């Protein structure tokens, strides 16, 4: 609307530099830190005082705010009218008290309508994106492009003068600002790795939003609403001042209107309603500033390691497997044939990044997926997990897990497999733990969701798992936040989480990349031991042939999205068949000849 582009109410409500879209979620001790800000505390006290006085107006004065007495017009302070009367003989104290009620109710209507319309739409659009996001964004832009005052005049002309109706219209006007803030906050957090980790754990979308996404929205939304509250009070007073509000109720704007008409006879009538509006609106702004400081909004957002993804099941190209597909081994746990992944390109076509990948993982087998960066290893793993971005087009001749077809599987069906029967160990362990929750909370939630364990049972199993993965003091780590543990311990926590629901298949995506050499060896030993004792099928995504030689039974080598060689690990290291595999093995330093001395541009050595 025109008010938006000209710095009007919705513009003020939209995200600004002080309200970062990736706000840090509220932390413990918010109330304590807020109480250390005397200006903010005084502002809250003033707002509470205004609310109490408005609610108790009938108890504080017996005068009617709308009853006029011309013979008692412009009466001085004292007597039956402690603050005197206005130009129509109405009691000023009664008008202030009842006017506070009108202003607060009108402001709350604006806030409520803006939240009801903007918050759910922003959450759904930011989390699911797609068509709803496009449609909701188009509607928000359309509303913001219209002149707000014209819409208000049309509505009031059609339905009559009403303060409540006018505030409802302004709530609709401001809702796009709420929508944009919430949507931006959700988009910023939904691509974080700890959200992907929750998705891989098999948690439902509502549960992920409630625990990991919505807490990020709370802080900026609360701050924005404190600002909107003050804006709404000014808008309500302005409407009453120009005569567009309800004629049968007291308001601060109506008092200003009457005082302006008597400005030469009784200029003091402007003082009290003017001060009430200024102090109340300033208090709303100062409360918002205080909340911004204690909630950490505007702090540097966490670095995003990977673009946002959402779970989508692979789609079949022709609807049925080809007749030429080889029969599956009896102990096949995961079978992939002819997997292709493509992304849209600017010219309208599609660029394929995975070209007909095929592999089979048996129970109790560690299958290494090897290749240089960009060879399509992670794309293949994410396609199996159903975690590719929504724009990806995935097809496969065969894609089965334990005999069940994964092609076209529903989001709900994939959620029941991930975490419960398919575990996932990601790289970058610290980024896959939500900093807002303790380690124990993040470990027990999948167990309670998938296994139906009680809180006590889930805690006992989580501590047992932490002990099993080699953490010395599992009870302390259980009660710790992610920033209180090391990277190696975080990786062990993720391994414990991946095994918490006793999966059959474990997909490990570069599980030791971010760790030092000593911790890498410990983690690899742990994966080997757990695989042997639980008879797990393991898909190990890596580019490290040392890890492959240490762990894997079978190796598939990928290059530029294609499988170039697949063989038993011993056979591949002893007699690699493909030139690319030989070049990768030759690039390793172990056992190779000493490197020649480096030469300077002038030809000398150094």
């Amino acid at each position: 609307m025109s008010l938006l582009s000209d710095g009007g109410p919705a513009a003020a409500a939209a995200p600004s530099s002080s309200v970062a879209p990736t706000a840090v979620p509220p932390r413990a001790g918010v109330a304590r830190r807020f109480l250390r800000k005397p200006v903010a505390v005084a502002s809250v006290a003033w707002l509470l005082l205004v609310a109490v006085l408005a609610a108790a107006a009938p108890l504080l004065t017996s005068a009617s705010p709308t009853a006029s007495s011309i013979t008692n017009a412009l009466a001085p302070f004292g007597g039956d009218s402690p603050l005197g009367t206005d130009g129509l003989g109405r009691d000023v104290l009664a008008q202030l008290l009842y006017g506070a009620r009108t202003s607060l109710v009108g402001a709350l209507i604006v806030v409520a309508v803006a939240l009801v319309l903007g918050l759910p739409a922003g959450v759904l659009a930011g989390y699911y994106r797609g068509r709803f996001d496009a449609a909701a964004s188009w509607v928000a832009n359309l509303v913001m492009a219209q002149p707000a005052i014209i819409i208000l005049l049309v509505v009031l002309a059609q339905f009559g003068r009403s303060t409540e109706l006018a505030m409802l219209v302004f709530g609709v006007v401001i809702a796009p600002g709420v929508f944009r803030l919430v949507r931006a906050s959700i988009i910023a957090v939904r691509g974080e790795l700890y959200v992907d980790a929750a998705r891989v754990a098999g948690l439902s979308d509502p549960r992920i939003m409630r625990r990991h996404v919505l807490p990020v929205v709370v802080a900026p939304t609360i701050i924005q609403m404190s600002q909107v509250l003050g804006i709404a009070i000014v808008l309500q007073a302005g409407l009453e001042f120009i005569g567009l509000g309800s004629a049968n109720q007291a308001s601060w704007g109506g008092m200003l209107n009457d005082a302006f008409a008597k400005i030469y006879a009784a200029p003091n009538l402007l003082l009290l309603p003017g001060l009430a509006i200024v102090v109340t609106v300033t208090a709303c702004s100062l409360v918002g500033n205080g909340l911004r400081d204690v909630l950490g909004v505007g702090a540097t957002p966490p670095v995003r390691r990977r673009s946002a993804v959402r779970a989508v099941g692979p789609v079949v190209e022709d609807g049925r497997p080809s007749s030429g597909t080889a029969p599956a081994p009896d102990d096949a746990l995961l079978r992939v044939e002819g997997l292709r992944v493509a992304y849209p390109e600017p010219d309208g076509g599609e660029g394929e990044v995975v070209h007909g990948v095929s592999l089979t993982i048996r129970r109790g087998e560690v299958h290494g997926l090897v290749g240089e960066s960009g060879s399509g290893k992670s794309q293949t793993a994410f396609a199996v997990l159903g975690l590719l971005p929504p724009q990806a087009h995935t097809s496969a001749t065969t894609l089965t897990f334990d005999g069940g077809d994964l092609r076209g599987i529903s989001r709900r069906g994939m959620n029941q497999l991930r975490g419960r029967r398919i575990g996932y160990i990601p790289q970058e362990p610290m980024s896959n733990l939500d900093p807002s929750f303790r380690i124990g909370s993040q470990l027990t939630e999948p167990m309670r969701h998938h296994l139906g364990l009680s809180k006590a049972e889930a805690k006992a199993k989580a501590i047992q798992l932490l002990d099993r993965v080699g953490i010395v003091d599992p009870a302390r780590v259980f009660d710790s936040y992610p920033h209180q543990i090391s990277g190696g311990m975080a990786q062990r926590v993720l391994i414990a989480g991946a095994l918490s629901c006793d999966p059959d298949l474990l997909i490990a995506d570069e599980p030791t990349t971010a760790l030092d050499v000593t911790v890498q060896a410990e983690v690899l030993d742990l994966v080997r031991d757990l695989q042997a004792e639980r008879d797990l099928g393991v898909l190990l995504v890596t580019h490290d042939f040392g890890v492959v030689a240490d762990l894997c039974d079978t190796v598939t080598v990928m290059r530029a999205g294609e499988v170039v060689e697949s063989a038993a690990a011993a056979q591949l290291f002893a007699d690699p068949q493909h030139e690319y595999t030989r070049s990768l093995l030759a690039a390793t330093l172990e056992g190779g000849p000493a490197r020649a001395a480096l030469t300077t541009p002038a030809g000398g050595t150094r």
Side-chain angles (χ1 to χ4, degrees), residues 162-184:
S162 170
T163 300
E164 290 76 13
L165 180 60
M167 292 296 98
L168 189 147
V169 171
F170 274 114
V172 174
V173 170
I174 290 178
V178 180
F179 167 80
R180 285 189 165 188
L181 174 66
V182 173
R183 175 181 176 274

Side-chain angles (χ1 to χ4, degrees), residues 71 84 145 147 155 215 233 239 315 463 545 548 563 566 595-596:
T71 58
V155 171
I233 291 174
L239 290 175
V315 180
I463 291 178
F545 267 104
V548 172
V563 172
S566 186
R595 303 286 178 172

Side-chain angles (χ1 to χ4, degrees), residues 204-550:
S204 63
D205 288 339
R207 198 173 184 121
I208 293 173
M209 284 192 284
R210 177 174 60 84
R211 283 184 57 86
H212 300 288
V213 176
L214 289 181
V216 178
V217 179
V218 170
T221 303
I222 290 176
I223 294 167
Q224 186 188 42
M225 289 304 100
S226 67
Q227 305 289 343
V228 168
L229 194 68
I231 294 170
I233 291 174
V234 172
L235 288 173
Q236 191 272 336
L239 290 175
E240 298 287 349
F241 182 78
I242 62 177
L244 293 179
S246 302
N248 59 348
Q249 63 183 13
S251 67
W252 291 342
M255 294 179 67
L256 287 176
N257 182 295
D258 180 74
F260 189 76
K262 305 293 189 296
I263 190 170
Y264 296 109
N268 60 296
L269 292 177
L270 286 169
L271 181 63
L272 293 177
L275 281 176
I277 294 172
V278 170
V279 175
T280 303
V281 172
T282 302
C284 292
S285 179
L286 293 175
V287 169
N289 291 340
L291 289 172
R292 177 200 61 201
D293 294 339
V294 301
L295 294 176
V297 175
T300 302
V303 177
R304 295 179 62 186
R305 300 293 196 268
R306 185 165 54 82
S307 60
V309 298
R310 71 179 179 89
V312 286
V315 180
V316 195
E317 279 185 330
D318 55 4
R320 62 186 63 192
S322 65
S323 58
T325 302
D330 294 337
D331 58 348
L333 185 61
L334 176 69
R335 190 169 180 230
V336 180
E337 294 285 346
L339 176 66
R340 299 180 182 274
V341 178
Y343 289 89
E345 294 185 332
D347 61 1
E350 281 191 335
E352 198 170 81
V353 297
V354 175
H355 316 294
V357 168
S358 299
L359 57 89
T360 299
I361 301 176
R362 296 174 169 87
R363 293 184 183 275
E365 176 189 38
V366 180
H367 194 116
L369 191 57
V370 190
E372 61 189 358
S373 297
S375 60
K377 308 184 303 297
S378 294
Q379 290 290 307
T380 300
F382 289 148
V384 172
L385 287 165
L387 287 178
L388 289 174
Q391 65 269 26
H393 175 252
T394 308
S395 62
T397 304
T398 302
L399 184 56
T400 61
F401 171 72
D402 198 18
D405 200 341
L406 297 182
R407 299 172 303 169
I409 190 171
S410 67
R411 181 190 297 271
R412 180 181 178 86
M414 202 66 206
N415 280 342
Q416 292 173 346
L417 288 178
R418 289 190 301 238
R420 177 62 185 92
R421 300 202 60 200
I422 303 177
Y424 175 61
I425 303 175
Q427 54 182 314
E428 303 186 49
M430 298 304 293
S431 299
N432 283 272
L433 294 171
D434 192 332
S436 305
F437 295 93
R438 298 180 188 273
I439 297 296
S441 172
Q442 299 182 61
L443 282 178
T444 57
E445 185 179 13
M447 290 187 281
R448 297 184 67 187
H449 175 69
H450 288 298
L451 305 180
L453 300 182
S454 66
K455 186 175 182 179
E457 291 170 338
K459 179 178 179 179
K461 183 171 183 178
I463 291 178
Q464 182 182 5
L465 281 169
L466 291 175
D467 179 67
R468 177 62 189 86
V469 298
I471 291 179
V472 177
D473 190 355
R476 182 188 67 81
V477 173
F478 183 90
D479 291 326
S480 300
Y481 286 96
H483 71 273
Q484 296 174 312
I485 63 176
S486 66
M489 294 177 71
Q491 188 68 74
R492 293 172 186 270
V493 167
L494 291 178
I495 294 174
L499 298 173
S500 62
C501 296
D502 303 316
D504 300 303
L505 174 66
L506 187 64
I507 297 178
D509 184 11
E510 304 280 7
T512 60
T513 299
L515 306 178
D516 60 65
V517 177
T518 303
V519 179
Q520 281 187 25
E522 294 175 353
V523 169
L524 292 176
D525 288 340
L526 174 61
V527 172
R528 184 191 300 107
D529 293 344
L530 292 171
Q531 178 270 333
E533 86 180 33
R534 294 172 179 247
D535 197 31
L536 289 171
V538 178
L539 176 61
L540 179 65
V541 178
T542 184
H543 59 264
D544 189 336
F545 267 104
V547 172
V548 172
D550 197 24

Side-chain angles (χ1 to χ4, degrees), residues 121-179:
V123 170
L124 294 177
Y127 190 81
Y128 290 109
R129 306 301 297 274
R131 294 181 179 178
F132 180 81
D133 180 30
S137 298
W138 183 84
V139 171
N141 293 336
L142 179 65
V143 172
M144 297 180 73
Q146 307 306 311
I149 192 64
I150 299 301
I151 292 180
L152 178 64
L153 291 175
V154 170
V155 171
L156 294 182
Q158 180 68 29
F159 298 100
R161 291 169 51 187
S162 170
T163 300
E164 290 76 13
L165 180 60
M167 292 296 98
L168 189 147
V169 171
F170 274 114
V172 174
V173 170
I174 290 178
V178 180
F179 167 80

Side-chain angles (χ1 to χ4, degrees), residues 2-28:
S2 60
L3 286 178
L4 313 186
S5 59
D6 296 334
S16 64
S17 59
S18 63
V19 184
T22 49
V24 178
R27 304 182 296 271

Side-chain angles (χ1 to χ4, degrees), residues 70-82:
I70 299 300
T71 58
N72 197 32
L74 301 179
F77 293 1
D80 294 334
S81 301

